Amino acid sequence: MTRIGDLAAASASIVLTDAAAPGISGRVDVRITGSVIADVSPAGATVPPADATVVPLDGRVVAPAFVEPHLHLDKALLGTPAEGGDLGAAIAFTAERKRAFTHADVEARAERVLAAALRAGTTAIRAQTEVDPTVGLLSIQVMRELAQRHRAWLELQIAVFPQEGIRARPGTLALMREALTLPGTIVGGCPYTESDAADARAHVDQVLDLAAEFGTHADLHLDLADDTSDERFALAGYVARATRERGLEGRVAIGHVTTLAAMEPGERGRVLDDLASAAVSVVVLPATDLYLMGRSDAANVRRGIAPVSDLWAHGVRTALSSNNLRNAFTPTGRADPLDIALLAGRVGFASSREDFLRLHRAVTTDAAAVLGSERARGLTAGAPADLVVFDSTEPDTVVLDQPARLLVLAGGRPAYSATLEESFHDVPLPA
């Protein structure tokens, strides 16, 4: 038998015995061979191979590793203006900070976030990475180096992201095309930063055309507004139609989409049906959206969070992610998807067991599906052995309990482990 903390010298075959798992009745044994899950069977039914490393979990929870489908590594930890600010202020503050970006600076901040992400149990990230004439391809180059350096535990997709627009920043499109020739990249977009609705729609078209041309995924920051009065912030239906026209079903994601919360139920339902029919995924980013939305409201401040329960009801693939960490867009954050899942549950009226299980899937298998990753298969035979062991024996309440991460396996190998020792002492009552 092997303790969790002693796994550094684990053999090629690992068996996690007597484990609990979200959504699975009864305890299980999980047998890992190489980088994949070989078998998931009722506890005690597995005869471990003679050369296997056997890890007894004593009923602790094992689940798929977390996935961050929308995370800005290059502008994390930039700080925020003391007075805060709305979306426009955040973009302006960041644009100024980008002028001082260096390779070492971007790398150091991104490395800090990656370390926190791994401790949280995250082994796959789609990094929204800025490209424009100011920063050029510097951040893309850093992300590619990080992807190579951490390839043993990290699946890193690089979204080539024009935060300040394409048409609004001449020269950006050429940089995007250059970046998309590099391995590991997908195309990003931010249509609301264009000057008018026509340019915003043209931005969407350019991004989806690039996805079709380069045979890759597309990921659009679709809107960050309190309502749809400005047409640049009401493009979800347009994205759905443009996706179908290009045959990109299942390869397009849209993030934020805060205007969904402002729509009347009938209109919202029609838009959600359009998204579902085009297999467009929605990535909800509650930490950022709660911070930036409703800033003009003097009373009854709007939450601005895309209604997750409605997305589920209409069959829209839905994921959650951290977005930004400790910068002008989001002054908070710990790179912990479980924290984001609980926040989404609190503001989205989650209450049932199934609600919280779905929130857990929104930061694991559903998030992996946004990336087009095999991790979407979850805790099943043949799936990648990217797993987290929690210090909990309650598999259905992981989101609620926020338990410590004891072990993270990436590709079947230990990537992080923690020893948690607790002792409780009798405290004498005061005389």
Side-chain angles (χ1 to χ4, degrees), residues 20-378:
I24 296 179
S25 178
R27 294 185 181 180
V28 296
D29 293 339
V30 181
R31 181 166 58 88
I32 297 163
T33 302
S35 63
V36 301
I37 298 171
D39 184 57
V40 179
S41 56
T46 299
V47 178
D51 62 345
T53 298
V54 179
V55 185
L57 296 188
D58 301 322
R60 288 191 180 91
V61 176
V62 64
F66 295 120
V67 176
E68 288 268 22
H70 188 124
L71 186 62
H72 294 264
L73 293 171
D74 59 333
K75 60 187 183 188
L77 310 177
L78 283 178
T80 189
E83 66 276 11
D86 60 9
L87 174 63
I91 292 174
F93 177 84
T94 305
E96 183 60 32
R97 291 296 305 270
K98 279 194 295 187
R99 296 180 185 278
F101 274 13
T102 65
H103 189 289
D105 161 59
V106 174
E107 179 183 40
R109 288 184 288 100
E111 285 278 23
R112 286 179 59 191
V113 176
L114 290 178
L118 179 56
R119 285 195 297 270
T122 298
T123 62
I125 294 170
R126 175 177 284 175
Q128 306 283 342
T129 307
E130 305 217 1
V131 169
D132 58 46
T134 299
V135 75
L137 299 183
L138 183 150
S139 295
I140 296 288
Q141 292 161 352
V142 173
M143 295 305 127
R144 293 195 67 229
E145 291 174 14
L146 292 174
Q148 177 67 15
R149 183 181 306 157
H150 298 293
R151 66 189 184 280
W153 68 269
L154 176 64
E155 178 184 339
L156 183 65
Q157 282 187 5
I158 304 167
V160 179
F161 175 52
Q163 169 74 80
E164 298 174 28
I166 298 175
R167 300 168 78 86
R169 289 296 310 269
T172 297
L173 181 59
L175 288 166
M176 293 175 69
R177 295 186 66 86
E178 182 179 351
L180 288 168
T181 64
L182 302 173
T185 56
I186 70 158
V187 59
C190 195
Y192 62 76
T193 54
E194 304 293 354
S195 61
D196 56 36
D199 277 359
R201 287 189 288 271
H203 183 121
V204 171
D205 291 337
Q206 285 179 307
V207 167
L208 297 186
D209 285 344
L210 286 170
E213 177 184 347
F214 285 90
T216 189
H217 286 236
D219 195 324
L220 292 143
H221 289 56
L222 199 64
D223 64 58
L224 269 168
D226 291 322
D227 56 49
T228 59
S229 57
D230 184 335
E231 288 184 46
R232 294 176 302 164
F233 298 91
L235 295 178
Y238 184 85
V239 170
R241 291 190 294 276
T243 296
R244 286 194 299 270
E245 288 169 0
R246 292 164 175 80
L248 293 173
E249 291 92 339
R251 290 164 50 190
V252 176
I254 54 178
H256 298 290
V257 209
T258 58
T259 54
L260 289 173
M263 294 177 181
E264 293 299 320
E267 179 187 5
R268 180 165 61 237
R270 288 188 291 274
V271 171
L272 295 182
D273 286 342
D274 281 346
L275 293 173
S277 70
V280 173
S281 301
V282 172
V283 182
V284 181
L285 306 161
T288 298
D289 300 341
L290 281 169
Y291 176 71
L292 291 176
M293 296 300 98
R295 284 186 166 269
S296 63
D297 296 337
N300 293 324
V301 178
R302 285 168 283 191
R303 301 177 183 211
I305 305 295
V308 172
S309 58
D310 284 0
L311 290 163
W312 288 338
H314 285 263
V316 179
R317 178 184 291 145
T318 305
L320 300 164
S321 200
S322 296
N323 189 39
N324 280 289
L325 298 174
R326 305 191 187 189
N327 63 15
F329 296 87
T330 319
T332 59
R334 299 185 290 116
D336 187 348
L338 207 56
D339 177 44
I340 296 297
L342 182 58
L343 176 61
R346 283 172 165 158
V347 300
F349 308 109
S351 59
S352 69
R353 168 184 176 274
E354 181 55 28
D355 285 343
F356 288 104
L357 285 172
R358 293 191 79 166
L359 288 167
H360 191 178
R361 294 197 293 271
V363 291
T364 55
T365 53
D366 289 347
V370 173
L371 271 60
S373 172
E374 282 291 298
R375 298 159 191 255
R377 298 172 62 181

